[in-house]
Amino acid sequence: MKKAIVLLGALGLCACAGINKNTVSYQMSKYDQHAYYVVAGEEADKTAAGQNALDNMHQSLLQNVPDARELSQIKDIMANARVDKVWRDKSQKKTKNYFALAVLKRDTAELILQVPANALDARLGALATQLQATQDKFAGLRAAFAMKPLIARRNVVQDVYVFLSQDHAGYETERFENLKKLYNDRLAAVKVAAVVRGEENAVLLSRIVDAVNQMGLSTVSPQDPSALLSVEADAKVDGYGSERLKGLQWAATSAAVSLRDLQEGTTFARFNVYDRAGTGRQADSLRKSMEGVGDKASVEIVKRLTDYLKTK
């Protein structure tokens, strides 16, 4: 029996002796990852290694949430991170570098991020109250457009919170989702009929539909009686060979666009866009020129629709 105990003890010592406690993975494993966010760094001296670990933590945050670059709270979060351990792996005789660990308490990051989240939700809530004050689909759209940048900022705060929080869940998710739903529903209630006439118009139509939908508005067919607004475009294509660049087949496309308020029976915006492209194939030139017209028209449509709806 004693021999068995001695043998087990010897095996235990061998196992322990086989563990290199100087590795980054071993040192990181000593932290509760639920409670701490830990990032390693490496440099030629202790001070530089510590700074490298902090830099790596900051870079990791921005890699996971790129839009957080404009979030002022990132500086506050990094100010609460500390270099907790610096060491050199002496078993690596050829490597003289030091290793370091930057450590951040997750609950501290949560508290920092809850401040802007609560402030943004309060502002969104006040604007949402204005939206709910009327059932008129046009009324309150100024408040809806005012909500858009606040929602974008709140989304960034939420993404950072999910990344750093102890349970990797959002903050007041239900509250925020309800506010976004009010915003999305009010914009979606504004239905826009999209009409494109003329040859080779499918590409232009798809670009216009995408632009309107990305605004949050709904696109419907010209025959839909629920349409409140319309975007109408007349496309024209002119194909010709280039004398200056031999071998290229050119296509020029133009579109006359009108934006109308169907309830009032008025046209509130008109503009023209033009583009041309030259490739080795006429079909490719036509498609590329139509894409160019579609992109230019989309920018103008979004701008003019937004300006108009803000006045409703």
Side-chain angles (χ1 to χ4, degrees):
M1 184 66 180
K2 289 183 178 180
K3 289 182 179 180
I5 294 174
V6 171
L7 179 59
L8 288 172
L11 290 172
L13 288 172
C14 289
C16 292
I19 297 175
N20 184 355
K21 296 183 179 181
N22 288 315
T23 64
V24 170
S25 59
Y26 177 82
Q27 293 298 333
M28 290 184 72
S29 70
K30 295 166 68 175
Y31 292 86
D32 179 1
Q33 300 297 318
H34 177 77
Y36 297 95
Y37 177 45
V38 186
V39 177
E42 179 184 2
E43 276 295 347
D45 61 71
K46 292 183 177 181
T47 301
Q51 185 58 53
N52 182 244
L54 291 170
D55 292 343
N56 288 343
M57 176 177 284
H58 184 247
Q59 184 178 3
S60 176
L61 280 171
L62 298 183
Q63 284 178 342
N64 282 274
V65 190
D67 292 336
R69 293 180 185 278
E70 305 301 322
L71 197 64
S72 62
Q73 284 74 26
I74 294 297
K75 291 183 179 180
D76 298 329
I77 289 171
M78 289 306 305
N80 282 273
R82 71 180 190 277
V83 178
D84 197 54
K85 185 174 181 61
V86 181
W87 78 98
R88 186 163 70 88
D89 186 352
K90 296 180 180 178
S91 67
Q92 303 294 326
K93 295 182 180 180
K94 294 182 180 180
T95 304
K96 301 295 184 180
N97 283 1
Y98 285 86
F99 299 92
L101 296 181
V103 180
L104 173 69
K105 293 183 67 175
R106 294 186 183 274
D107 57 0
T108 299
E110 289 178 4
L111 291 173
I112 291 171
L113 292 168
Q114 285 171 14
V115 174
N118 287 331
L120 288 166
D121 284 355
R123 294 174 64 187
L124 287 169
L127 291 168
T129 299
Q130 296 179 32
L131 288 183
Q132 294 174 298
T134 177
Q135 295 302 312
D136 187 327
K137 292 182 175 62
F138 276 148
L141 283 176
R142 183 177 298 181
F145 284 111
M147 291 177 74
K148 184 177 180 179
L150 300 179
I151 289 174
R153 187 174 179 82
R154 178 67 167 88
N155 277 328
V156 176
V157 174
Q158 190 79 318
D159 289 345
V160 178
Y161 194 93
V162 169
F163 179 68
L164 289 177
S165 65
Q166 297 187 53
D167 54 3
H168 296 295
Y171 176 67
E172 293 290 349
T173 300
E174 184 177 359
R175 179 177 72 187
F176 181 41
E177 290 300 321
N178 286 338
L179 290 168
K180 286 198 292 186
K181 186 176 185 304
L182 286 170
Y183 163 80
N184 290 328
D185 288 350
R186 176 50 59 91
L187 287 180
V190 179
K191 297 182 179 180
V192 182
V195 184
V196 178
R197 294 175 288 264
E199 54 186 316
E200 301 292 343
N201 56 29
V203 173
L204 177 56
L205 178 61
S206 67
R207 288 291 206 275
I208 291 175
V209 169
D210 287 346
V212 173
N213 288 340
Q214 287 173 14
M215 289 180 66
L217 310 181
S218 300
T219 51
V220 296
S221 69
Q223 294 77 30
D224 194 322
S226 65
L228 302 175
L229 305 168
S230 72
V231 177
E232 301 180 17
D234 290 287
K236 181 180 179 181
V237 177
D238 176 28
Y240 57 92
S242 171
E243 296 181 357
R244 291 179 297 172
L245 298 173
K246 299 296 184 180
L248 291 184
Q249 295 293 315
W250 287 80
T253 304
S254 62
V257 183
S258 299
L259 306 182
R260 300 183 63 230
D261 186 326
L262 299 178
Q263 284 189 326
E264 297 184 3
T266 59
T267 299
F268 60 87
R270 284 193 180 94
F271 61 90
N272 293 279
V273 286
Y274 169 87
D275 198 79
R276 71 171 188 151
T279 70
R281 297 178 65 249
Q282 182 66 26
D284 290 340
S285 300
L286 179 57
R287 175 181 53 79
K288 290 180 70 68
S289 67
M290 188 67 81
E291 288 174 350
V293 163
D295 291 339
K296 292 175 181 178
S298 296
V299 171
E300 287 296 318
I301 288 168
V302 170
K303 178 181 181 300
R304 293 173 190 243
L305 272 179
T306 301
D307 290 344
Y308 183 70
L309 292 174
K310 281 182 177 180
T311 67
K312 298 300 288 182

